Amino acid sequence: MRHSKLKDFPKDFLWSASTSAYQVEGAWNEDGKGMSVQDAKTSLPEGTSDFKVASDHYHHFEEDIAFLGEMGLKAYRFSISWTRIIPDGDGKINTKGVQFYHKLIDACLSYNIEPIVTMYHFDLPFELEKKGGWNNRTTIDAFLKFSKILFEQYGSKVKYFLTINEQNMMILHGAAIGTSKGSGINIWKELYQQNHNMLVAQAKAMELCHKLCPNSKIGPAPNIASIYPASSKPEDYLAAQNFTAIRNWLYLDMAVFGRYNSTAWSYLEEIDAVPKIEEGDMEILRNAKPDFIAFNYYNTATVKANNDAKKVQDSSGDQQLAVFEAGVFEGVQNPNLEKTEFGWEIDPVGFRITLREVYDRYNLPIIVTENGLGAFDKLEDGTVHDDYRIEYYKKHLHEIKEAITDGVKVFGYSPWSAIDLVSTHQGVTKRYGFIYVNRDEFDLKDLKRYKKDSFYWYKKVIEENGNNL
Ligand code: BGP
């Protein structure tokens, strides 16, 4: 639909930016913090840094939040490291960790920045992983214990909680991200059991939040992307339906309606990965209701039919690139789209399509909690001329305006990332931030911060409430 006039962003639109604890904080073993699965990784892709120092935000947070204040952010999305709060995942509380996030939240509030807290972003406590991780239902209780601490400690200051970051990517691409990759002959049986347990944990956490923090709102934060059929062949359309049911709706349907969609369920039956559902689980899932939907969007995917009978598939492929499931769908390149330097397709119009699809299906307000461009930024004369990133953001923000005019309720935009940090599996050189952090893959240099051109651009966008993109 071509609109003759686009609607404005809402007056109280949350102009935000995002990070996650393990990718930005560093201080991996300081002040009582325990090890997470990310700290415990024994092998990293060749040539990429580990997460021990990252952007050293733990020691630079005051300076970093001052930068975000200067940029004019209305909100800042960060995650809380579970092992800073409970070092072994379900035992004693680490007071210094609890204090750190009080200081971080207070720093945000002092600049009128609304903290948006992700409760769990890929960094399961390693001690829990050793006991079976999400295969073990006691991890559900451990997550609840951790959630209760967060709600009691921060609930009076935090209006927006996000439960679990990209649970769908943890299941489909766990080996690449460094979460669980499953084991045994049928890794999918194990991974979809973990998935079910995580969904139950999420539902319980949403209920608890509503009980303990009447003034806070909570929602899930998967990675959602519309899926195109490669052609008008009906078989390709079916493949696209398959993939969208498995990749997108499985997660959001469970969070919002508490039900497995029928296509995803028949897929689980087909690959012998139906999870064991305990008595009471479905009721818990049905009763828990999110207040909004948060989702991360990088790009759409395009698929064609695949009728291969063999099912060979692991979870080590890149989260935006590896799209294949024998007999179900097969990813193809979309010839209509450009790509980033890292091969991710760029699809702003697909962003509008995704926003419309999510809103039509769930009818809940939406906040976009990640979207951004990873690039090999170069520091020159104390800045980075990242016009390519500005272009990317302009186009995506334009499509949010189109979606808002279409009637989609979007209340915030939190691009990835606020400052440079370590990518999930492509190191420090894949940069996303508005602020450059002076370090290389293995040379920590001085970790000094430099404002990129996109910093000044986003500041102006926020000042003008997105009126002159
Ligand atoms: C999402 C994750 C983030 C982030 C981003 C970019 O999947 O939620 O943690 O890192 O993607 O991905 P990458 O770091 O692999 O470039």
Side-chain angles (χ1 to χ4, degrees):
M1 196 188 319
R2 228 190 111 260
H3 297 293
S4 44
K5 190 174 178 318
L6 293 184
K7 289 191 179 148
D8 291 340
F9 287 93
K11 292 240 159 353
D12 50 357
F13 192 74
L14 289 179
W15 296 100
S16 175
S18 298
T19 61
S20 88
Y22 83 96
Q23 292 174 280
V24 77
E25 284 178 5
W28 70 290
N29 61 356
E30 282 182 47
D31 292 341
K33 178 178 172 296
M35 270 213 319
S36 79
V37 292
Q38 300 295 344
D39 303 316
K41 274 180 187 167
T42 48
S43 66
L44 289 156
E46 215 190 314
T48 60
S49 159
D50 58 28
F51 301 94
K52 292 195 163 76
V53 177
S55 302
D56 203 28
H57 176 67
Y58 189 75
H59 297 114
H60 288 250
F61 78 92
E62 281 164 329
E63 178 192 352
D64 290 342
I65 302 301
F67 274 121
L68 303 186
E70 184 188 335
M71 194 158 50
L73 287 193
K74 307 285 183 213
Y76 169 48
R77 174 198 177 212
F78 57 90
S79 79
I80 290 191
S81 154
W82 189 337
T83 56
R84 247 186 234 298
I85 304 288
I86 311 177
D88 66 0
D90 63 357
K92 278 214 184 106
I93 301 183
N94 176 35
T95 323
K96 285 197 172 158
V98 173
Q99 278 165 0
F100 171 70
Y101 292 106
H102 271 300
K103 285 190 264 174
L104 181 60
I105 291 167
D106 292 345
C108 290
L109 295 173
S110 75
Y111 290 95
N112 288 325
I113 296 174
E114 197 74 70
I116 301 178
V117 169
T118 314
M119 297 162 63
Y120 166 40
H121 192 126
F122 300 164
D123 53 356
L124 187 73
F126 186 53
E127 290 304 316
L128 294 183
E129 181 66 22
K130 286 203 284 195
K131 291 186 225 155
W134 285 106
N135 294 313
N136 191 337
R137 282 187 66 111
T138 59
T139 299
I140 301 176
D141 304 326
F143 184 68
L144 255 275
K145 176 174 176 173
F146 168 58
S147 307
K148 186 159 179 272
I149 298 169
L150 301 193
F151 299 145
E152 284 172 350
Q153 288 289 334
Y154 313 121
S156 60
K157 307 182 195 176
V158 172
K159 279 200 202 132
Y160 300 96
F161 286 99
L162 309 173
T163 52
I164 302 178
N165 179 70
E166 294 197 355
Q167 182 175 329
N168 51 345
M169 296 301 109
M170 281 198 269
I171 299 305
L172 298 169
H173 301 279
I177 289 169
T179 55
S180 173
K181 54 180 191 283
S183 63
I185 303 167
N186 182 356
I187 61 162
W188 299 107
K189 177 114 189 136
E190 184 179 320
L191 287 167
Y192 280 104
Q193 187 62 55
Q194 294 183 12
N195 185 50
H196 179 78
N197 296 347
M198 253 189 265
L199 289 166
V200 173
Q202 167 174 269
K204 288 186 164 186
M206 291 195 297
E207 282 234 286
L208 189 64
C209 177
H210 289 139
K211 201 166 124 205
L212 299 181
C213 318
N215 297 321
S216 306
K217 294 183 188 302
I218 188 161
N223 177 316
I224 299 297
S226 289
I227 312 298
Y228 304 140
S231 76
S232 52
K233 276 192 212 151
E235 292 78 5
D236 290 348
Y237 189 82
L238 266 181
Q241 274 192 334
N242 289 340
F243 190 36
T244 201
I246 296 165
R247 182 201 194 278
N248 297 325
W249 307 149
L250 169 52
Y251 300 86
L252 285 177
D253 284 355
M254 286 299 270
V256 180
F257 306 131
R259 64 167 166 81
Y260 281 98
N261 73 70
S262 51
T263 308
W265 189 258
S266 76
Y267 162 76
L268 295 179
E269 286 177 335
E270 181 62 34
I271 62 167
D272 185 24
V274 164
K276 183 163 178 272
I277 299 176
E278 294 209 349
E279 213 188 313
D281 282 1
M282 293 317 288
E283 204 187 331
I284 291 165
L285 285 155
R286 268 195 308 274
N287 290 342
K289 296 279 173 232
D291 301 293
F292 58 84
I293 287 175
F295 73 85
N296 301 346
Y297 172 84
Y298 287 91
N299 50 251
T300 49
T302 307
V303 299
K304 63 178 183 177
N306 180 291
N307 293 316
D308 200 333
K310 297 190 295 278
K311 294 188 175 63
V312 273
Q313 158 90 335
D314 66 18
S315 67
S316 62
D318 181 286
Q319 65 265 43
Q320 299 298 139
L321 294 179
V323 174
F324 177 77
E325 176 80 59
V328 191
F329 54 81
E330 178 176 344
V332 296
Q333 308 223 335
N334 186 332
N336 306 298
L337 302 176
E338 288 177 12
K339 292 195 182 113
T340 71
E341 291 175 321
F342 288 84
W344 290 14
E345 287 173 342
I346 301 175
D347 188 4
V349 177
F351 191 21
R352 176 182 178 189
I353 297 170
T354 307
L355 285 161
R356 284 163 61 139
E357 276 194 278
V358 171
Y359 191 66
D360 278 352
R361 195 170 175 105
Y362 302 106
N363 221 343
L364 283 170
I366 294 173
I367 178 165
V368 176
T369 39
E370 284 182 36
N371 173 235
L373 179 77
F376 294 103
D377 292 349
K378 292 247 161 355
L379 184 67
E380 287 166 335
D381 314 320
T383 187
V384 174
H385 299 300
D386 55 347
D387 47 316
Y388 39 86
R389 182 167 292 113
I390 295 172
E391 271 315 293
Y392 176 100
Y393 281 139
K394 267 189 191 166
K395 289 182 181 152
H396 284 80
L397 282 172
H398 175 80
E399 295 303 325
I400 297 191
K401 269 191 134 174
E402 294 275 2
I404 289 175
T405 312
D406 290 333
V408 179
K409 291 213 169 22
V410 189
F411 69 96
Y413 179 64
S414 195
W416 188 264
S417 54
I419 75 171
D420 281 350
L421 36 69
V422 188
S423 138
T424 57
H425 61 286
Q426 285 163 306
V428 174
T429 34
K430 187 184 195 187
R431 294 176 184 269
Y432 284 89
F434 292 107
I435 295 161
Y436 185 91
V437 175
N438 192 33
R439 62 159 290 183
D440 280 348
E441 221 56 78
F442 300 107
D443 179 355
L444 292 176
K445 297 187 173 175
D446 56 7
L447 290 160
K448 209 173 154 211
R449 277 58 173 149
Y450 294 91
K451 294 174 244 177
K452 300 182 191 176
D453 286 355
S454 56
F455 176 100
Y456 298 101
W457 172 81
Y458 197 40
K459 180 176 161 62
K460 192 158 170 288
V461 168
I462 298 171
E463 272 163 16
E464 299 171 348
N465 203 35
N467 279 331
N468 302 301
L469 291 174

